[in-house]
Amino acid sequence: MPLALLKYGFRRKYKGDKYFPAARPLKDTYDVVIIGGGGHGLACAYYLASDWGIADVAVLEKGWLASGNTARNTAIIRANYLTPAGALFYEESMRLWRSLAGELGINLMYSERGHLTLAHSDAALRTSRWRAEVNQHLGIDSELVGRDEIAKLCPEINLSEEVRYPVLGALYHPPGAIARHDAVAWGYARGAMHSGIEIHQQTEVTGIKKHVGGSIELETNRGSITAGTVVQAVAGMSSEVARMAGFKLPIRSIPLQACVSEPLKPFLDPIVVSGSLHVYVSQSARGELVMGGATDPYPLYSTRSTLDFTERLMASMLELFPFLENAKVLRQWAGIADMTPDFSPVMGLTPISKYYIDAGWGTWGFKATPVCGKCMAELTATGKVPDLIRSFELERFGRMEQVGERGAAAVGH
Ligand code: FAD
Ligand code: PYC
């Protein structure tokens, strides 16, 4: 190494900024406390400061930044949902994604690949056509394509008719993308902290009390603090934390597993999903195949990996890409998905005044990080539910106004 470079590295004068400002002590009281330092909680914190000038905010995270589902997901971003409420909401998120790296000053590796949802039956073709029509009506780029088009878009897919479930067509969504999930959390966290917001890791909320005066007291493993307003954004722990606050959520917590292969030469451009085979796959910039399937068949608060999952997933992968028979799985993991009855999120008011909920993100919430953060920040700042999230209120279940996205949420559940 040249001596000049070495000297430069050790010169105090050229000390670079720390990525995150130094942590501050936990105060007794904040205007806003956000429970959960995943992408959603951090995005809400960031937009509270950037859009509303609210910075007396603490984000409490029981582990480390993005130690929940934010850094466990398979980073698929798309807007080809079935309901108008869902499609418009996710479409707005995609609009925000496109300028997010520039805004946060971090390379999110946002990469538009195109998204193919394969149809292996007449019923799946009908649903794909339905989704394409809803999408087109709302100005979302999405269409039903046949086998010839699939062969052009992804020549590697096995289009043989001599398989269990031959491919008949697909819903094609050209803007479908992937991104670097942990960078999303770091970018929002840094932006929020530079505006004066505090992020407290290793700080777990263990109890919640509402005071007569209106403030909310949070018990934590580091003592009690009070907040004027609380935002709950704890994904897989949503029901448990809501229970501490004294209300019930219609949510079941179910493990969702995923895995990656060893790095392979780039061969797979689009993201490929098959509901019938319970498999989806994309190829990351470093060549790994990022693969997943359906949720585990039972609720559980555990992030263990199972051989059963890998075996089934690989059987389906080989049906679509038989030439991968010698590829190796490098690592496997799981997150806890908070599943709602209609496969749509829960955002907005709760039975407790000034206690807002951001939950029910199951297997689909990463793509919503920017738009959800923005809407939750608006709700927190104004007390009014933004139009974009009105359909997703907790109250909808009491009114039987579900936002049914089962077929569009991810692979089969
Ligand atoms: P999290 O990142 O889980 O953050 C919640 C945080 O709250 C955690 O860090 C947790 O430690 C903290 N917390 C919990 N309890 C407490 C407490 N009592 N006190 C303090 N902190 C607490 N979505 C997509 O859009 N596309 C995908 O391709 C996709 N793939 C997925 C693949 C897998 C394997 C999994 C598991 C999920 C996938 N998802 C996907 C869903 C997505 O990951 C989540 O919906 C999203 O990350 C939720 O973000 P969040 O910030 O709400 O949750
Ligand atoms: O939301 O597109 C999605 C998704 C794919 C896999 C898990 N979630």
Side-chain angles (χ1 to χ4, degrees), residues 5-48:
L5 185 59
L6 204 60
K7 270 169 68 186
Y8 180 88
F10 283 107
R11 289 275 280 275
R12 282 175 184 272
K13 198 169 147 201
Y14 300 119
K15 211 165 50 160
D17 277 348
K18 283 218 161 122
Y19 191 83
F20 294 120
R24 287 194 248 148
L26 189 64
K27 296 193 298 183
D28 292 338
T29 179
Y30 294 89
D31 287 347
V32 180
V33 170
I34 298 171
I35 314 175
H40 283 230
L42 295 167
C44 177
Y46 171 84
Y47 292 116
L48 272 173

Side-chain angles (χ1 to χ4, degrees), residues 138-151:
L138 299 171
I140 295 168
D141 191 1
S142 187
E143 62 176 319
L144 185 67
V145 294
R147 290 162 52 88
D148 292 350
E149 191 65 18
I150 297 172

Side-chain angles (χ1 to χ4, degrees), residues 62-82:
K62 73 172 177 184
W64 59 95
L65 278 189
S67 51
N69 288 346
T70 295
R72 293 166 192 266
N73 70 72
T74 42
I76 296 174
I77 298 167
R78 60 189 172 85
N80 57 351
Y81 278 75
L82 179 66

Side-chain angles (χ1 to χ4, degrees), residues 117-357:
T117 309
L118 304 178
H120 305 259
S121 65
D122 287 346
L125 276 177
R126 262 198 311 280
T127 318
S128 299
R129 184 170 297 115
W130 179 4
R131 275 168 74 182
E133 282 176 9
V134 170
N135 291 175
Q136 286 164 19
H137 182 68
L138 299 171
I140 295 168
D141 191 1
S142 187
E143 62 176 319
L144 185 67
V145 294
R147 290 162 52 88
D148 292 350
E149 191 65 18
I150 297 172
K152 278 191 225 146
L153 291 164
C154 189
E156 299 79 13
I157 290 188
N158 180 12
L159 289 175
S160 160
E161 291 178 6
E162 307 302 315
V163 290
R164 269 188 311 163
Y165 299 110
V167 176
L168 304 180
L171 178 68
Y172 179 47
H173 179 47
I178 49 176
R180 185 177 167 210
H181 43 32
D182 39 16
V184 175
W186 301 335
Y188 275 125
R190 181 175 60 169
M193 287 175 96
H194 279 291
S195 300
I197 285 175
E198 295 175 15
I199 297 175
H200 293 281
Q201 301 184 74
Q202 308 288 313
T203 308
E204 178 172 4
V205 173
T206 52
I208 300 170
K209 283 188 213 144
K210 176 89 193 173
H211 288 292
V212 184
S215 64
I216 298 170
E217 183 179 334
L218 301 172
E219 282 162 21
T220 80
N221 57 338
R222 296 171 59 196
S224 291
I225 61 174
T226 53
T229 302
V230 172
V231 178
Q232 176 189 317
V234 296
M237 298 310 291
S238 294
S239 307
E240 289 300 300
V241 176
R243 196 173 46 75
M244 286 181 209
F247 64 96
K248 265 182 141 178
L249 290 173
I251 281 177
R252 294 189 314 145
S253 296
I254 306 183
L256 178 67
Q257 303 188 49
C259 61
V260 292
S261 73
E262 60 187 329
L264 303 168
K265 280 188 183 167
F267 71 90
L268 185 64
D269 213 26
I271 303 153
V272 176
V273 181
S274 165
S276 304
L277 291 173
H278 297 297
V279 62
Y280 64 88
V281 57
S282 68
Q283 189 168 23
S284 74
R286 67 177 163 203
E288 294 172 341
L289 295 176
V290 182
M291 299 170 278
T295 47
D296 285 357
Y298 35 74
L300 194 68
Y301 284 105
S302 164
T303 50
R304 84 279 176 270
S305 301
T306 65
L307 181 59
D308 181 58
F309 167 82
T310 335
E311 281 179 343
R312 281 165 196 254
L313 188 66
M314 293 313 126
S316 299
M317 273 297 291
L318 292 182
E319 200 157 321
L320 288 178
F321 304 100
F323 61 92
L324 289 174
E325 62 184 339
N326 290 321
K328 294 181 180 54
V329 171
L330 203 64
R331 57 181 190 279
Q332 183 182 349
W333 66 90
I336 302 171
D338 48 334
M339 305 295 286
T340 53
D342 58 1
F343 296 77
S344 281
V346 178
M347 285 172 282
L349 310 177
T350 69
I352 298 170
S353 133
K354 299 225 164 196
Y355 188 101
Y356 302 129
I357 184 99

